[in-house]
Amino acid sequence: MGEKVSIILTSYNKPSYLQKAIESVVNQTHADWELFLMDDHSNEETSAVIQTYLHDTRIQYYNSFIQHSERMKTARYATLINHALSFITGDYVSYLTDDTIYHHERLSRMLQVFRNDPAAQAVYSMQKVVHINERGEEALHFYRQAPGVLNNAAFQVDHCSVMHRRELLEKVKLQYESYWDDHVMHWNHGDSIFWSRLNTFVPFMPINEVLDTTYKTPDSFQNANQCLPDVLIDGSFVKGTDQKVYVLDQDTRHPVGERWHSVYSGRTVIIPDPYLFQYQIGKSVHIPNYMLVKGPDQPDVFYIEGGRKRRIENQYAFHFYQFKRKDIFAVHQDELESVPDGQPISQGRSGLMINPPGRRLFLIGRELFLFLNGMFHPIDTKVAKRFFLHQKPIAISFRKIKQFPIGKPFRPLYDEIIKKLSIKID
Ligand code: UDP
Ligand code: MG
C-alpha cells in the first residue's frame, strides 16, 4: 500500500498565517502528499498568497465563491472538507486550518506509526496552542496532550492533530450519509462531531510528540464566538475580519466614523463574519445611540436613544442609572440641536421607574438583566462582559419593574448547543 497523504487545508482571510500553513506542508520531510487548498472566498490579500503556490502541481486549489448571505447556512470548513474528500487520491487523510502549522516531521512520524501497527486506523498527536493578543503578540501557550488510546476523542483532539486511513471514510458515509456533519450548529466543534463518527469504528492511537502548532487569534472563530448570544446586543460596537467598526441597531449595522475612536476603542466586540453579515449595512451614524453627550453652552447632559436625545433631568437620575461623568462626550451645540428630543430621563426617590434608559444593567433578585428596547432581558454575566457592559448593575426589586415585559435572554449560544449534544468524552 502507498503512503500518499491527502491534506485538506481550509482558508478564510488569514493571509499571513495561511502562508505559514502552506509552507509547513511544502516543507514536510515526507514528500508524497497532495494539498487541497480550500478557500472560502477570502479577501484579495489571501488570494495573492494562494496564487504564489499554484505552480506546485501537488496543490489543488478551490474557491467556494460563497456569498456573505449564504455563509451562516453550514459549518463552512466542514462543507469545504466534504467537497475536497470527494476528490482525494491519498491513502491517508489529514486536516489543516489556516492558523496552524505542521511540524516538519509530522507526516513521516504519523506514517511510521501506521507502518508499525497495521491495525491502527486513526492517530493523533500532541499540539502546541499559542494565544495571540490584539497586537499580534504571543500572549500565552500550552500543550494539548496525547494521554492514551481514545475511544471518545471528541472535544479532546484538535482538527489539525489527526491522521486517518482513507478507507474509514466510506464506512462513515455509509452509516451517516455524509463524511463531516456540516450542520451550522456544529460550527464550533465540527471536528469533534467527525471524531465521534470515526470513533464508532476505531479508537485514536496516541503519538506522544508535538507535531503541530495552532495559533488562536482574537478573530478566530472560537474566540470570536465565545459567549455570543444568537441575537447581538443593540448599541454595541462590532467589527469583523475587515476591521471596520459598526454600531448595531435592530438588524442593521451602521458604520461609525473615526471621530468616535476614543469611544469604541477597547470596547469593540469582534464578531465572526458569518454572524455579522446577517446584519445589513445602514447609513453611517452622526452620534451613536446610548452615548452620553453634552453641548458647550448648557450644563444639560443627554442620553442618545433611538436617534433622539433624552435629557437627564437631575443628578439623582444620573447617579441612579449609573451614568459616569467620564463617559460624557462633548459635541457641538448645533449638532446637539439637530437631534430631536426624546422623553427625558427622570427618577423619583420612590424608586418607581418610568421610561428608564436603555442598555442599562439591573440586578433583580439575584439575576442580571439588560433593559433594552422597552424590555428587561435576562443576560448571562459572561455575555455582558463580552459586550463591554461594565456598568455596575442597578439593584431593584421585581415589584418595581412588573409593568415591563421580560424579553428573550442573552445567553451564550454554543454553551446551550454543547449541553444538548450527547457525545461521550473519555
Ligand atoms: N473558515 C471557513 N469559512 C469561514 C470562516 C472560517 O472556511 O467563513 C475556516 C477557517 O479558515 C479555518 C476553520 O474554518 O480553517 C476554523 O476557523 P478559525 O480558525 O477561525 O476557528 P477556530 O480556530 O477558533 O476554531
Ligand atoms: Mg483556528
Side-chain angles (χ1 to χ4, degrees):
M1 183 173 163
E3 287 194 333
K4 183 173 182 179
V5 184
S6 300
I7 301 162
I8 302 173
L9 166 55
T10 46
S11 143
Y12 179 62
N13 282 3
K14 291 189 187 132
S16 57
Y17 285 98
L18 174 66
Q19 176 154 25
K20 292 188 196 123
I22 301 173
E23 289 286 332
S24 83
V25 173
V26 172
N27 292 327
Q28 285 296 308
T29 54
H30 176 84
D32 191 11
W33 49 261
E34 60 180 354
L35 174 64
F36 284 81
L37 216 173
M38 309 299 286
D39 186 63
D40 209 17
H41 205 181
S42 290
N43 54 24
E44 275 178 26
E45 236 182 309
T46 309
S47 302
V49 167
I50 294 173
Q51 288 306 319
T52 62
Y53 292 95
L54 296 187
H55 63 273
D56 189 326
T57 52
R58 294 170 298 179
I59 300 179
Q60 311 270 344
Y61 164 58
Y62 167 85
N63 189 329
S64 69
F65 293 113
I66 186 87
Q67 295 305 304
H68 289 336
S69 56
E70 300 288 301
R71 226 176 250 286
M72 260 323 273
K73 296 199 173 157
T74 65
R76 291 298 310 157
Y77 59 88
T79 305
L80 293 176
I81 288 171
N82 280 338
H83 188 69
L85 286 176
S86 57
F87 296 103
I88 58 167
T89 64
D91 309 288
Y92 296 88
V93 189
S94 194
Y95 307 95
L96 182 58
T97 58
D98 51 356
D99 47 12
T100 304
I101 54 165
Y102 283 166
H103 297 190
H104 292 336
E105 307 234 301
R106 182 185 185 275
L107 300 187
S108 66
R109 286 289 299 117
M110 287 189 161
L111 289 167
Q112 202 179 349
V113 175
F114 284 113
R115 218 177 291 133
N116 294 344
D117 179 3
Q121 298 282 316
V123 300
Y124 75 104
S125 55
M126 286 171 66
Q127 179 182 54
K128 182 174 179 183
V129 183
V130 180
H131 280 260
I132 302 292
N133 66 19
E134 287 266 357
R135 292 184 299 278
E137 303 152 353
E138 183 170 332
L140 61 96
H141 72 258
F142 66 92
Y143 292 92
R144 253 192 255 271
Q145 303 297 320
V149 178
L150 295 179
N151 288 302
N152 300 294
F155 298 104
Q156 302 198 71
V157 177
D158 186 66
H159 191 114
C160 303
S161 306
V162 170
M163 191 190 287
H164 64 79
R165 290 191 197 266
R166 183 189 171 179
E167 295 98 80
L168 266 178
L169 287 171
E170 291 324 305
K171 293 188 187 170
V172 169
K173 187 140 186 195
L174 210 60
Q175 179 146 343
Y176 296 99
E177 288 169 4
S178 62
Y179 301 123
W180 284 55
D181 184 345
D182 69 352
H183 193 289
V184 67
M185 74 171 172
H186 299 314
W187 194 313
N188 223 11
H189 51 259
D191 47 0
S192 287
I193 302 291
F194 184 65
W195 302 161
S196 72
R197 286 181 170 191
L198 293 182
N199 273 145
T200 54
F201 306 104
V202 297
F204 283 32
M205 310 310 279
I207 300 176
N208 212 352
E209 244 176 87
V210 181
L211 295 181
D212 69 281
T213 298
T214 193
Y215 296 90
K216 295 281 169 199
T217 57
D219 52 4
S220 87
F221 197 76
Q222 246 171 51
N223 282 334
N225 216 42
Q226 224 160 46
C227 302
L228 220 57
D230 58 347
V231 176
L232 304 178
I233 300 172
D234 272 1
S236 307
F237 295 106
V238 293
K239 66 178 179 193
T241 52
D242 68 1
Q243 307 298 319
K244 286 200 186 97
V245 178
Y246 300 90
V247 63
L248 292 177
D249 182 28
Q250 313 204 4
D251 302 332
T252 309
R253 50 188 163 121
H254 297 276
V256 182
E258 188 51 31
R259 174 184 176 197
W260 305 102
H261 187 266
S262 68
V263 180
Y264 63 68
S265 114
R267 9 177 163 155
T268 303
V269 193
I270 297 168
I271 306 288
D273 286 354
Y275 271 78
L276 194 60
F277 293 156
Q278 295 182 113
Y279 292 74
Q280 63 191 46
I281 300 181
K283 286 200 277 248
S284 78
V285 288
H286 279 304
I287 306 178
N289 278 332
Y290 309 110
M291 279 200 54
L292 280 178
V293 294
K294 186 185 158 311
D297 301 346
Q298 289 162 7
D300 290 338
V301 177
F302 296 89
Y303 191 50
I304 306 292
E305 201 174 342
R308 294 175 175 270
K309 61 175 188 297
R310 304 184 61 187
R311 196 170 70 85
I312 301 178
E313 292 222 301
N314 51 42
Q315 281 296 318
Y316 186 77
F318 190 88
H319 294 302
F320 178 85
Y321 287 116
Q322 293 290 337
F323 291 121
K324 297 282 173 247
R325 298 218 75 84
K326 68 171 174 42
D327 294 329
I328 300 174
F329 196 91
V331 293
H332 299 295
Q333 193 61 31
D334 48 351
E335 201 175 15
L336 191 61
E337 273 156 26
S338 72
V339 181
D341 289 323
Q343 290 277 344
I345 296 171
S346 57
Q347 183 58 29
R349 281 170 202 274
S350 68
L352 208 70
M353 288 197 302
I354 301 151
N355 232 321
R359 220 179 130 87
R360 302 270 92 198
L361 288 175
F362 291 84
L363 197 63
I364 311 173
R366 283 211 186 132
E367 230 189 312
L368 193 64
F369 285 81
L370 181 70
F371 186 70
L372 196 66
N373 301 326
M375 288 185 219
F376 278 90
H377 299 265
I379 184 168
D380 190 284
T381 48
K382 292 194 299 268
V383 175
K385 205 166 154 212
R386 177 96 165 72
F387 281 80
F388 302 101
L389 295 163
H390 291 318
Q391 168 228 313
K392 183 173 170 233
I394 305 151
I396 48 163
S397 68
F398 258 116
R399 205 165 36 82
K400 302 225 168 88
I401 63 141
K402 62 176 189 294
Q403 75 270 33
F404 295 99
I406 300 294
K408 210 172 158 253
F410 292 111
R411 303 222 187 283
L413 179 66
Y414 274 93
D415 288 11
E416 306 282 303
I417 290 173
I418 289 180
K419 256 188 252 157
K420 286 189 203 129
L421 288 177
S422 52
I423 285 187
K424 276 194 272 161
I425 298 174
D426 272 334

